[in-house]
Amino acid sequence: FSDFDRMSEAQKRMQQYNGGFSQQKKKDWLIISVSILLFMFGVSAASVPLYKLFCSATGYGGTTQKHTKEDEEKLRVMTPVEWRPIKVTFTGTVNPNLDWSFEPVQDTVELVPGETCLAFFTAKNNSTEVLTGISTYNVTPFEAGLYFNKIQCFCFDEQTLHPGEELDMPVFFYIDPEFALDPDLINARCHNVSLHYTFFNTAEKSSRFDMAEIVANVSSMITGKDSGDVTFTIPSGENIVKVNDLVYKEVVRKGYEKEFVVPGCKVVCHVTGTFRDSGKVFWCTKGGNPFTYTAGVGCRVEGWEEGWLGMSEGEISKVVMSSRKGYGKIGNRSWNIPGNTDIAFEIEILAVR
C-alpha cells in the first residue's frame, strides 16, 4: 500500500468509529431521557398529596386551612377583632359532567376575624341516576386562604345524591385573627373575601399524565421541535379587538362605557368558559350566582387578566386566548382542560365597583 492508501484506510476507520460513537451517544441520551420521564411518572402519585400539603400549609392558590384538634385550644381562647369587618361572598358552580344544581343558601355574610360562622350550600341531583360528586374550593384573594379555617365542611368528603334528591350542606369556618395584621392584605385594603366551590363527578376519571403527550414531548425533546408550538390565528372583523398576538376579544354587546374594568376594581359577572375549537363548556355561572373577583390581582390565567381590562359595565365579550396565555402545556385537571388547548371566556359584566 502507498502512503495515500494507508491514510484513506485510516480515515474510513475513523469515520466508522465516529459514526458508531454518535449513534451510541444518541442511544444513551434517549435511555437517560426515558428513565427520567418514567421516574417522574412513578412519583406522580405522591406529588399530588404533597402539593396539597404544601397548599394547605401556605395558603398557596387560595387553599383554605382545615381545622385540627390541635387548633381547638386556639379556638377556645380566640378573641374577635371587632375593628376589622369582613364580607365573605359564597359562589358555586358545577362541572358539565355532573347533572346537579349547586348554589349557596346565602350570598354573603359579614363577620370579623376570630368569629365563627355557619353557612349552607344546596345541591340537587337533576338526573335519573345516583350520582356522587366531590368539590374543589379556593378563596380569593389568594393571600386570605392562609387564614380561612374550616372546622367542618361538606368538601371534606364525597357527596352522593339519589335522583331528584336535594341536600343542604354546611360549612363551619372562621377567619384567623392574624388576618387583620397581614401586611399584604392591609396594603390591598382587603375587606371582601370570596369562597368558591366547584363540584365534579367522581365517576369521571382523568389522568394528570397522558402517555401520548409524554411520548410527544420526548419526541420534541429529541428532534428539537416543540409539539405544542401551534400558530394562534386572530380573525378579522368589526367586532374583533386584538389585545396582543396571543389574546383577542370578540365583542358581542357593547357596554355602557361609564364604569370600566381597571386593576383593583371589584367585578361582578357571569362567565362561560369553553374550548376554542370544539366550543365544549368547562365552566359556567349562568343560571346561578354571579362570579365576583378583583381585577388585576393575578387570581386567574394571564390571558384572562389581559382580556378583561378595559371592558365596561353591561358589556358582553368573548375573550379568546392561546394556550400559552391560558393553562400552557400542563392544562387544568380540575376543569379537564388538556395541555396546549386554546380557551375562551364569554364574560357578561354585571357591575364594576
Side-chain angles (χ1 to χ4, degrees):
F1 293 104
S2 65
D3 291 341
F4 179 79
D5 292 333
R6 292 191 183 95
M7 185 176 295
S8 299
E9 184 67 24
Q11 288 176 340
K12 289 180 181 180
R13 292 181 179 179
M14 182 61 71
Q15 289 175 352
Q16 291 174 354
Y17 173 78
N18 288 337
F21 178 77
S22 178
Q23 291 296 323
Q24 183 62 40
K25 188 174 181 180
K26 289 181 179 179
K27 290 180 180 179
D28 291 343
W29 274 110
L30 181 60
I31 292 173
I32 292 172
S33 300
V34 173
S35 299
I36 292 173
L37 287 169
L38 290 176
F39 173 76
M40 293 172 62
F41 186 77
V43 301
S44 63
S47 67
V48 175
L50 287 174
Y51 177 74
K52 289 183 177 179
L53 181 63
F54 167 76
C55 289
S56 296
T58 62
Y60 180 78
T63 303
T64 64
Q65 309 301 296
K66 185 175 181 179
H67 184 81
T68 63
K69 290 184 177 181
E70 290 75 13
D71 297 324
E72 290 182 0
E73 178 62 23
K74 178 179 180 179
L75 182 60
R76 188 178 67 84
V77 299
M78 188 168 57
T79 302
V81 184
E82 301 291 349
W83 55 268
R84 189 72 160 87
I86 303 170
K87 179 185 286 187
V88 179
T89 301
F90 304 96
T91 55
T93 54
V94 180
N95 185 274
N97 294 324
L98 182 63
D99 190 10
W100 281 12
S101 301
F102 174 65
E103 60 183 9
V105 174
Q106 63 293 293
D107 293 334
T108 61
V109 296
E110 293 187 1
L111 72 161
V112 297
E115 177 184 359
T116 58
C117 181
L118 179 64
F120 287 89
F121 283 74
T122 298
K124 182 179 180 180
N125 184 353
N126 300 317
S127 74
T128 57
E129 57 182 336
V130 178
L131 294 175
T132 299
I134 188 71
S135 63
T136 60
Y137 52 86
N138 74 309
V139 167
T140 53
F142 288 164
E143 294 84 356
L146 182 62
Y147 306 104
F148 202 107
N149 292 267
K150 294 179 180 177
I151 301 172
Q152 187 54 257
C153 182
F154 59 87
C155 60
F156 294 163
D157 303 293
E158 295 180 349
Q159 304 293 330
T160 300
L161 296 180
H162 291 269
E165 182 181 3
E166 188 171 342
L167 180 66
D168 286 337
M169 299 180 292
V171 51
F172 188 36
F173 68 94
Y174 67 91
I175 295 177
D176 195 293
E178 294 182 6
F179 174 98
L181 303 177
D182 186 291
D184 292 331
L185 294 170
I186 293 174
N187 292 335
R189 298 180 180 179
C190 177
H191 294 280
N192 296 278
V193 174
S194 296
L195 175 62
H196 179 79
Y197 290 93
T198 300
F199 255 104
F200 295 86
N201 192 337
T202 57
E204 294 293 330
K205 304 296 184 182
S206 59
S207 173
R208 183 180 292 271
F209 296 94
D210 189 322
M211 286 306 298
E213 183 179 347
I214 290 177
V215 171
N217 287 337
V218 171
S219 175
S220 66
M221 182 173 61
I222 295 174
T223 62
K225 297 179 179 179
D226 188 351
S227 60
D229 188 14
V230 180
T231 301
F232 180 79
T233 57
I234 298 178
S236 58
E238 294 182 356
N239 62 333
I240 300 298
V241 178
K242 179 180 177 180
V243 178
N244 53 52
D245 290 339
L246 300 175
V247 180
Y248 70 88
K249 184 172 67 173
E250 181 182 343
V251 180
V252 179
R253 184 184 73 192
K254 291 185 177 181
Y256 310 133
E257 298 187 349
K258 292 182 179 180
E259 300 292 338
F260 295 90
V261 177
V262 295
C265 73
K266 191 74 66 177
V267 183
V268 182
C269 58
H270 276 306
V271 182
T272 302
T274 60
F275 298 150
R276 182 196 185 191
D277 293 335
S278 66
K280 180 180 178 181
V281 176
F282 59 81
W283 179 36
C284 183
T285 65
K286 291 183 178 179
N289 291 314
F291 177 66
T292 302
Y293 98 110
T294 302
V297 298
C299 63
R300 291 294 179 267
V301 295
E302 187 177 355
W304 164 288
E305 293 287 7
E306 294 175 347
W308 278 69
L309 295 180
M311 290 184 66
S312 68
E313 193 172 277
E315 180 178 341
I316 300 178
S317 287
K318 180 183 288 187
V319 177
V320 185
M321 65 198 71
S322 163
S323 62
R324 283 170 283 178
K325 289 287 188 176
Y327 291 100
K329 294 183 178 181
I330 298 177
N332 184 300
R333 187 185 184 192
S334 297
W335 281 342
N336 295 322
I337 300 176
N340 299 316
T341 301
D342 298 340
I343 57 177
F345 293 101
E346 184 177 272
I347 303 158
E348 179 182 3
I349 306 291
L350 303 177
V352 178
R353 301 166 181 168

